[in-house]
Amino acid sequence: MSHQQRAVALAAVFVAGAFAPALASAGEVSLSGEGIVTYSPDSARLRFTANAEHNEPAKASQQVHKMMEQWRKGIRTLQSQLDDYSDAELNLYTRNLPIQEKGQKQEQVAVASQTVSFTISDLALLNPLLEEAQKLGLQYHLGTNQFFHSEEQTLQQKALGLAIADAKAQCNFVAKQLDKSCGDVVTINVSNGQRPSPMMMSSARASEGSVSAVGPQEISAMVNATFELD
């Protein structure tokens, strides 16, 4: 083979190599699939705090101690249904009172607080517990992140299954348009998420803080997958 013939052959090999990735990628399709499962929460994580302020630390502590005794007495018949129940230890600290006038001496007040936390697996207990907390002046906040489903892992798996099925259905559609068939998965990335809807409150009893219904929540899953086209 002459020098010129060898140069032509090498050039042909180089050109074929340059087009190889393009030919490989032409036999693949990348797309995203999403799965969403809507559910109604059946459990909640609750947290209540008793607070008291007084010039004397001992008096502030006594007030909180009294509130906690009343709380325990008020929920006595329900406590066996409260999971992971915990009475946090008493916290005592001081805070500076705002200065009202220029030149006024900085004053402090003692603050005592104690927190109760637990989980309920029956939302019928929610309003009785809220009513007891409101009666004693315990502080709390209700948000969508406090409500969950006892079989959340199963719901996440269901959402993921729907996302994978969605991705495969799209792959089958694309392949059919190209007179091909959807083949094996080359790569796949999975992400899970939760998209809660706002909690619904009873307008008639909003001033009392009773909950009439908890809004539905969603668990979503998304996959980014690359399939071979056969």
Side-chain angles (χ1 to χ4, degrees), residues 75-88:
I75 65 164
R76 185 173 58 248
T77 58
L78 304 175
Q79 192 160 358
S80 62
Q81 302 177 69
L82 309 183
D83 301 322
D84 302 320
Y85 184 90
S86 173
D87 280 353

Side-chain angles (χ1 to χ4, degrees), residues 30 70 92 97 160 170 216 227:
S30 296
Q70 292 174 327
L92 187 63
L97 295 174
L160 179 57
Q170 293 186 57
F227 295 87

Side-chain angles (χ1 to χ4, degrees), residues 172-225:
N172 287 329
F173 176 80
V174 172
K176 185 177 181 180
Q177 302 306 306
L178 299 173
D179 294 325
K180 291 181 176 292
S181 61
C182 184
D184 294 335
V185 176
V186 180
T187 61
I188 186 168
N189 295 311
V190 178
S191 62
N192 294 317
Q194 190 170 26
R195 301 188 297 188
S197 301
M199 183 176 62
M200 297 172 59
M201 303 290 290
S202 167
S203 58
R205 303 185 64 187
S207 60
E208 299 176 25
S210 296
V211 178
S212 62
V214 178
Q217 298 191 19
E218 293 179 347
I219 288 181
S220 65
M222 181 169 286
V223 297
N224 296 307

